Amino acid sequence: MEHVPALDEDLKKTLGPATAKVLAEQLGLHTALDLLHHYPRRYAERGELTSLADLADQLDEHVTVVAQVADARLLTYQGGRGGGKRLEVTITDGSGRLQLVFFGAGVHKPHKELLPGSRAMFAGKVSRFNHKLQLAHPAYEPLGADASDRDAATAFANQLIPIYPACAKLESWKIAKCVDAVLPSAQEAVDPLPPALREGRGLVPLTEALLKIHRPATKADIEDARQRLKWDEAFVLQVALARRRHADSQLPAVARRATPGGLLDAFDAKLPFTLTDGQQKVSKEIFDDLATSHPMHRLLQGEVGSGKTLVALRAMLAVVDSGGQAAMLAPTEVLAQQHHRSITEMMGELAEGGMLGGSDQGTKVVLLTGSMGTAARRQALLDLVTGEAGVVIGTHALIEDKVQFHDLGLVVVDEQHRFGVEQRDALRSKGKQPPHLLVMTATPIPRTVAMTVFGDLETSVLDQLPAGRSPIATHVVPAKDKPHFLARAWERVREEVENGHQAYVVCPRIGDQEDDPGNKKKASAEDEAEKRPPLAVLEIAEQLTRGPLAGLSVEVLHGRMDPADKDDVMRRFAAGEVKVMVATTVIEVGVNVPNSTVMVIMDADRFGVSQLHQLRGRVGRGSAPGLCLLVSEMHEASPARARLAAVAATLDGFELSRIDLEQRREGDVLGQAQSGVRSSLRMLAVIEDEEVIAQAREEATRVVAADPELEQLPGLRTALDALLDAEREQYLEKG
């Protein structure tokens, strides 16, 4: 009997060391089970030809096409030692034509096999030669059938050919042969879904799904398999998160309730405006959580400028009322200083507890950053350990071993996506009992991503802007096609400044020696816009002061400046002394200068959709309308320009976050980097499969409530262990 590999068997045994090495290094596949979960990207039908018309979008990518040979010409040319041979084959699929080229000794085999009228699968890298697309030396697999056997020919013509995510060293059909070798072991796959759930949802068994996804007889087979495999991914992931929520709910925490007539009431009485309905609703959700005896884990998402900081501050004051301390963790010094400044301004004498002129109900609000002077730092640390300071705002300097709290009751993490889980965890471990946790983000997250990436947190959304906020008009400025538009942009900046307002100019790069890419090779003219270094703060500031903005006070702000200089520039900008600030994205979050009304973003195509939305939120924060100009040299038909047009078309951050996600893909939803890496979700698409994720979350919550240790569900435990390898397990533990 033929050897059936065990699911956890190394692929070396089954496929040999050379192939196993390529699968491991190029595709991250190590065992038979890994290979079974390497699903086809799509399916080609032999009866209908794969589209060659779409290849223009796939320049420099490895593709697999099914097509017919239209003609083949063997050419002899002079050159090299005694000349050489070149075989040019034109293939067609009805939608377009493509040239294949073979050289030298490599022409003999294809010259015999690729005859006009024959059909084959071809795989190679799409390149351009003499303005035409071509595949040079493609690998190919003839699709011939025994003409004498009509039935076999018909079956062959209608067969679905799986096209796998492949790499240069291993074409799709070679991967298909590897899959054939491990497919018998699919019989051993342990089904993670509880039988009642699987039958109730009408899903096929796992073994059947694996066979159907790799070797479907019909399109219905593919659909059955996809539905089932999506459910596996969504359900196992949601069980991991539900177990986290369950474990967190068992932890002890000190219930924190505001004292009537205390600090929070005194603060509310000072506010010169009433809270929006959204702020009141979200505050109630937070106060209810704080009043329980297990730790709050809440995600507060808010549109740029929806007043998240105010909601977080009220939660912090409620905790101080109850005798605890609250810490706010900010990702940059600029932002920590900004938060400290705005919170002490909002609180007034309430932020000067125990100081001359301070309020009796007040508390001390201290700042702690890495660049503080020794004396100020020593005093801040003393205020924390004695409990004198009820509120501390800081950068990751808060996490250092030396920092000790009297009674840490609440941790507020601003801009969650900037922090590693270790950092969040280190701060939480400073409480005598686990403190409550409030995570804030101004990057709106689609509901399904919140359910997966932040599935262990309850979610609150602030989507209402406070009264008096002005709308922001956004326009794309095509600097290359229409240079006069850029000249007009600088005129608009001058006009705003002359009307008493201020402006930001944002660049992707600083432009000092450290980040100067001058040593890179010169790009050719046609991809100059793509290849030239991004525009830099220092260069643009100089050009503007000499040219279109001469005579205005222009200053720069970037991450490599001395912290005292940064703070000085920010303070003078906030006071209105500096009229134009040329900055990197250090101003992306939290910088609040209501008098700034216009922002020009240079090389806007170099920023992500959500980042542009964040940046734009820095203007229009007062009563005057905001204007955001997105400057780009990319041509009109490029995907980059389509992205900018999307940003200009809507102020809805949730809509933009969907667009952003569709373009970036999910990344590894459980891994620490939440974009760009290979996704742990192979079948599930976070945006498209919203319904499956929502249903899986409900089912997972029910299963975990009934059996937290999953003792009755060994198959689910096995799947969970496979998903939560050591690194991810740690990540979930710490979240």
Side-chain angles (χ1 to χ4, degrees):
M1 188 184 142
E2 204 180 320
H3 166 68
V4 175
L7 287 172
D8 56 358
E9 192 170 285
D10 192 301
L11 289 169
K12 283 196 197 89
K13 283 190 184 170
T14 320
L15 306 173
T19 305
K21 186 171 186 246
V22 176
L23 287 169
E25 287 176 3
Q26 303 283 320
L27 298 168
L29 307 174
H30 303 276
T31 65
L33 189 64
D34 290 345
L35 191 48
L36 286 175
H37 286 302
H38 186 68
Y39 306 131
R41 216 159 26 97
R42 58 186 177 83
Y43 301 85
E45 290 181 71
R46 286 183 171 144
E48 71 181 55
L49 296 163
T50 313
S51 172
L52 294 179
D54 300 336
L55 290 186
D57 301 335
Q58 293 175 291
L59 200 60
D60 291 334
E61 285 185 31
H62 285 275
V63 299
T64 302
V65 296
V66 177
Q68 194 162 8
V69 177
D71 67 65
R73 297 183 304 154
L74 188 61
L75 308 170
T76 307
Y77 60 90
Q78 293 306 308
R81 289 191 199 149
K85 288 191 164 56
R86 168 190 172 95
L87 177 66
E88 290 182 359
V89 178
T90 305
I91 58 172
T92 177
D93 68 352
S95 76
R97 293 164 84 81
L98 179 68
Q99 189 167 57
L100 316 175
V101 290
F102 301 87
F103 299 100
V107 303
H108 304 302
K109 189 166 177 274
H111 188 221
K112 285 206 293 270
E113 293 179 341
L114 298 178
L115 303 172
S118 64
R119 186 182 282 172
M121 259 198 304
F122 302 93
K125 191 172 174 184
V126 183
S127 58
R128 194 180 293 249
F129 181 72
N130 280 345
H131 307 296
K132 275 190 185 158
L133 293 178
Q134 68 169 26
L135 298 183
H137 276 289
Y140 64 90
E141 180 91 334
L143 301 178
D146 184 353
S148 64
D149 187 340
R150 279 286 163 80
D151 295 343
T154 311
F156 184 87
N158 294 329
Q159 198 179 340
L160 291 157
I161 305 167
I163 306 288
Y164 288 92
C167 59
K169 292 183 180 169
L170 212 57
E171 295 86 11
S172 170
W173 56 81
K174 289 185 183 161
I175 293 174
K177 286 176 181 166
C178 296
V179 170
D180 283 337
V182 300
L183 209 46
S185 61
Q187 303 295 339
E188 297 173 34
V190 183
D191 201 321
L193 294 192
L197 188 160
R198 186 172 64 69
E199 286 152 22
R201 300 262 170 203
L203 299 166
V204 301
L206 177 58
T207 295
E208 188 181 324
L210 290 170
L211 294 173
K212 282 182 167 178
I213 200 76
H214 289 293
R215 300 294 172 262
T218 63
K219 287 184 177 172
D221 281 356
I222 300 170
E223 201 36 53
D224 285 351
R226 278 179 183 278
Q227 267 320 99
R228 165 60 215 246
L229 295 166
K230 277 179 182 182
W231 252 95
D232 275 16
E233 286 179 9
F235 181 69
V236 175
L237 177 54
Q238 291 300 337
V239 166
L241 295 164
R243 291 185 74 208
R244 271 277 296 294
R245 289 196 299 277
H246 183 270
D248 286 340
S249 72
Q250 307 301 304
L251 290 172
V254 179
R256 309 280 179 176
R257 293 182 184 84
T259 317
L263 179 57
L264 178 62
D265 284 354
F267 174 74
D268 283 350
K270 273 177 57 75
L271 284 177
F273 49 81
T274 53
L275 298 177
T276 65
D277 294 347
Q279 286 172 325
Q280 286 176 345
K281 176 177 147 289
V282 169
S283 290
K284 183 182 181 315
E285 291 170 349
I286 292 171
F287 290 147
D288 288 350
D289 281 0
L290 288 173
T292 61
S293 55
H294 59 81
M296 164 172 82
H297 287 94
R298 190 165 281 280
L299 171 70
L300 172 57
Q301 323 187 35
E303 271 293 12
V304 183
S306 57
K308 290 182 302 299
T309 309
L310 176 63
V311 168
L313 176 57
R314 293 183 73 243
M316 291 162 87
L317 298 182
V319 169
V320 175
D321 262 349
S322 75
Q325 292 168 293
M328 181 185 262
L329 191 59
T332 64
E333 292 210 352
V334 167
L335 192 49
Q337 288 160 346
Q338 172 82 33
H339 276 318
H340 182 254
R341 199 176 300 129
S342 62
I343 284 173
T344 47
E345 277 169 16
M346 277 196 267
M347 287 176 66
E349 74 281 0
L350 295 173
E352 296 163 359
M355 292 152 77
L356 201 63
S359 160
D360 295 344
Q361 292 152 312
T363 186
K364 244 185 178 180
V365 177
V366 302
L367 175 70
L368 188 66
T369 63
S371 65
M372 283 168 75
T374 315
R377 186 182 176 79
R378 191 176 293 130
Q379 185 58 52
L381 291 172
L382 191 65
D383 288 342
L384 287 181
V385 76
T386 59
E388 191 81 11
V391 175
V392 58
I393 293 131
T395 54
H396 51 260
L398 278 176
I399 296 165
E400 290 170 9
D401 294 342
K402 289 196 284 285
V403 181
Q404 290 181 330
F405 290 84
H406 176 64
D407 179 15
L408 182 60
L410 170 66
V411 173
V412 178
V413 180
D414 192 21
E415 288 310 317
Q416 152 64 25
H417 64 282
R418 305 287 191 90
F419 285 101
V421 176
E422 282 84 0
Q423 292 167 304
R424 209 166 83 181
D425 186 51
L427 187 52
R428 272 169 66 184
S429 68
K430 291 187 178 290
K432 294 188 177 70
Q433 280 194 319
H436 298 279
L437 175 71
L438 180 65
V439 170
M440 299 200 296
T441 175
T443 308
I445 303 162
R447 172 172 163 255
T448 46
V449 181
M451 282 193 287
T452 45
V453 179
F454 298 105
D456 59 315
L457 303 173
E458 298 301 325
T459 305
S460 295
V461 177
L462 273 178
D463 49 12
Q464 213 181 347
L465 289 187
R469 276 297 172 85
S470 307
I472 306 167
T474 308
H475 303 286
V476 179
V477 177
K480 204 163 198 168
D481 314 343
K482 299 178 177 168
H484 58 286
F485 276 35
L486 183 57
R488 176 71 189 121
W490 300 126
E491 281 170 25
R492 283 291 291 117
V493 171
R494 282 201 94 94
E495 287 163 18
E496 288 297 313
V497 171
E498 278 155 17
N499 289 334
H501 297 301
Q502 289 159 278
Y504 295 102
V505 178
V506 181
C507 304
R509 201 165 61 86
I510 299 172
D512 54 11
Q513 276 66 43
E514 285 184 51
D515 75 351
D516 182 34
N519 52 356
K520 292 188 182 159
K521 284 189 294 212
K522 281 299 287 172
S524 66
E526 69 185 44
D527 51 12
E528 197 66 46
E530 270 284 7
K531 297 287 166 63
R532 70 161 169 72
L535 293 170
V537 166
L538 302 177
E539 294 155 18
I540 292 292
E542 192 178 331
Q543 287 170 24
L544 292 176
T545 41
R546 287 184 180 174
L549 303 185
L552 302 183
S553 60
V554 177
E555 292 271 3
V556 300
L557 181 73
H558 58 75
R560 275 210 282 275
M561 285 166 65
D562 182 87
D565 295 343
K566 262 193 278 197
D567 206 31
D568 178 54
V569 172
M570 272 309 308
R571 197 169 282 125
R572 288 189 296 119
F573 188 66
E577 296 164 27
V578 173
K579 298 302 180 190
V580 181
M581 173 127 76
V582 184
T584 55
T585 54
V586 289
I587 61 153
E588 180 186 343
V589 280
V591 174
N592 183 23
V593 179
N595 190 43
S596 50
T597 52
V598 60
M599 175 178 286
V600 182
I601 303 179
M602 307 303 291
D603 274 345
D605 46 87
R606 311 265 179 147
F607 299 97
V609 169
S610 293
Q611 199 174 24
L612 291 170
H613 182 59
Q614 283 294 319
L615 287 165
R616 158 171 76 180
R618 303 301 113 214
V619 296
R621 297 176 82 85
S623 51
L627 172 66
C628 178
L629 301 173
L630 307 173
V631 179
S632 171
E633 292 194 357
M634 300 305 284
H635 59 83
E636 201 168 351
S638 64
R641 280 283 292 278
R643 236 182 23 242
L644 298 183
V647 175
T650 178
L651 289 171
D652 181 342
F654 286 91
E655 175 55 30
L656 290 173
S657 68
R658 286 184 79 96
I659 292 168
D660 196 22
L661 192 74
E662 280 162 3
Q663 290 179 340
R664 285 187 305 128
R665 296 298 295 154
E666 290 82 18
D668 193 333
V669 166
L670 280 180
Q672 290 182 21
Q674 280 158 13
S675 68
V677 267
R678 191 157 165 262
S679 176
S680 67
L681 303 181
R682 297 186 172 91
M683 189 58 80
L684 195 71
V686 171
I687 287 281
E688 293 152 32
D689 298 316
E690 186 162 340
E691 215 167 289
V692 175
I693 293 169
Q695 290 169 1
R697 183 182 169 101
E698 278 171 34
E699 294 274 14
T701 306
R702 198 175 311 134
V703 165
V704 170
D707 179 7
E709 293 306 311
L710 309 178
E711 283 163 5
Q712 308 302 311
L713 299 165
L716 179 54
R717 273 228 65 114
T718 306
L720 207 57
D721 294 342
L723 175 75
L724 306 179
D725 52 40
E727 179 197 348
R728 292 203 186 116
E729 180 75 75
Q730 222 175 3
Y731 173 90
L732 281 181
E733 285 300 310
K734 289 181 174 175

